[in-house]
Amino acid sequence: MSLSNFICSTCGVQYEASEVPPLLCPICNDDRQYIGFGGQSWTTLQNINRQHKNIIEKIAPDVYAIYSTPAFGINQRAHLIRTPGGNILWDCITNLDPSTIEIIHSLGGIKAIAISHPHYYSSIVEWSHAFKARVFIHANDEKWLGRRDETIELWQGNEKLLWDEIRLVCCGGHFPGASILYLPRDKGSIFSGDTIQVAPNLKTVSFMYSYPNMIPLPAKSILQIQDSIIDLEYDAIYGAFGLYIRQNAKQAVIYSLERYLQILKGSNY
């Protein structure tokens, strides 16, 4: 019997090669996620390639959103950020095919892949091999890795400096190692995944332990997020699922933090 790197159909995370799929996806069998309504199911990258295509959409100067159509997994969205020191893939989607590889190489390839939290682990090993890229994941979330590889670097502490003053900042909250990417150029930008989730009104943000199961974070976690980003200067924030605040983002985050803390204190906000 041949080995396959099975992929959870619900969250899109790929696991170590095996003859048969795992019994459960640990990431989905967790309060922050969920097992699909039809029960645990598995697929492979080859099957995904046949059923899905990727969109690479320019959303800002030197910033491209990458997502699959029709939607797969939790409808993950990655971002390719072009910088003078090399390109960064922020977060990751599961589908990777020859067309995607060719287009990204035409944009300068990928020097590093940085992941906000385990819901974006996707097929990171496939992507790292295709582009000869390092993968940066916070060590606090190591136990959630479905597939390990020598290209994965587990960083520790509060910050990880990459290049051109670009850095990863561990905020915690959603996961112990949940992180954001800070890009200082122009007026500054944060790429937050859903560590800091942009709300549909595009004016505020939210912070949750579980988004699909609607479990809030305690005040201690909100204060940790606040302390981790308070000194960053930024005007834009690029959240998950195509939700972005393009101007005055820092003011929106500060307002949202204060509102959240007031509610937790029992204020009649």
Side-chain angles (χ1 to χ4, degrees), residues 3 5 9 13 17 33 62-63 66 109 121 123 136 193 216 224 236 238 240 252:
L3 300 178
N5 291 105
S9 301
V13 171
Q33 184 54 18
D62 291 322
V63 179
I66 307 174
Y121 285 175
S123 56
F136 295 99
Q224 179 181 342
Y238 297 87

Side-chain angles (χ1 to χ4, degrees), residues 7-10 12 43-55 67-76 93-100:
I7 293 170
C8 175
S9 301
T10 302
T43 186
T44 63
L45 186 56
Q46 292 73 24
N47 288 335
I48 296 169
N49 283 173
R50 287 193 287 267
Q51 299 168 11
H52 302 266
K53 299 298 180 184
N54 289 341
I55 303 295
Y67 51 95
S68 295
T69 183
F72 176 73
I74 58 172
N75 198 19
Q76 292 98 322
I93 65 172
T94 306
N95 190 37
L96 179 65
D97 55 27
S99 296
T100 302

Side-chain angles (χ1 to χ4, degrees), residues 8-239:
C8 175
S9 301
T10 302
C11 72
V13 171
Q14 187 183 57
Y15 286 83
E16 300 284 5
S18 59
E19 292 183 352
V20 296
L23 291 176
L24 285 173
C25 169
I27 290 175
C28 288
N29 193 37
D30 175 77
D31 284 345
R32 284 161 286 208
Q33 184 54 18
Y34 56 89
I35 302 293
F37 298 127
Q40 180 67 62
S41 64
W42 300 91
T43 186
T44 63
L45 186 56
Q46 292 73 24
N47 288 335
I48 296 169
N49 283 173
R50 287 193 287 267
Q51 299 168 11
H52 302 266
K53 299 298 180 184
N54 289 341
I55 303 295
I56 300 177
E57 175 188 356
K58 188 173 185 178
I59 60 168
D62 291 322
V63 179
Y64 296 80
I66 307 174
Y67 51 95
S68 295
T69 183
F72 176 73
I74 58 172
N75 198 19
Q76 292 98 322
R77 178 174 287 227
H79 291 90
L80 181 71
I81 306 159
R82 301 177 72 192
T83 81
N87 295 348
I88 303 169
L89 185 72
W90 170 248
D91 279 333
C92 192
I93 65 172
T94 306
N95 190 37
L96 179 65
D97 55 27
S99 296
T100 302
I101 294 171
E102 182 177 345
I103 293 170
I104 291 178
H105 273 306
S106 74
L107 293 170
I110 298 171
K111 180 177 179 179
I113 301 169
I115 303 296
S116 63
H117 69 286
H119 293 155
Y120 284 92
Y121 285 175
S122 304
S123 56
I124 50 174
V125 174
E126 304 284 351
W127 282 78
S128 67
H129 289 180
F131 297 100
K132 298 180 173 60
R134 300 292 297 170
V135 181
F136 295 99
I137 289 173
H138 200 280
N140 285 351
D141 293 338
E142 177 183 8
K143 75 172 187 176
W144 299 102
L145 280 169
R147 186 176 174 189
R148 297 174 181 269
D149 191 79
E150 62 182 9
T151 61
I152 297 174
E153 179 177 328
L154 298 169
W155 63 280
Q156 301 184 46
N158 297 325
E159 292 190 359
K160 170 72 177 180
L161 183 64
L162 298 180
W163 58 85
D164 299 336
E165 298 303 314
I166 300 167
R167 52 187 145 150
L168 305 175
V169 180
C170 181
C171 300
H174 189 38
F175 274 82
S179 302
I180 57 99
L181 182 144
Y182 176 63
L183 188 70
R185 71 186 183 200
D186 301 324
K187 295 182 180 180
S189 301
I190 281 178
F191 291 80
S192 64
D194 50 11
T195 300
I196 303 171
Q197 174 63 285
V198 176
N201 63 14
L202 306 184
K203 296 178 181 179
T204 58
V205 299
S206 185
F207 323 87
M208 297 283 282
Y209 181 77
S210 170
Y211 289 94
N213 298 320
M214 295 177 284
I215 305 173
L217 285 170
K220 179 180 178 180
S221 295
I222 300 301
L223 291 170
Q224 179 181 342
I225 294 171
Q226 178 176 263
D227 290 345
S228 68
I229 63 171
I230 192 66
D231 293 329
L232 300 180
E233 294 299 328
Y234 55 97
D235 194 47
I237 182 167
Y238 297 87

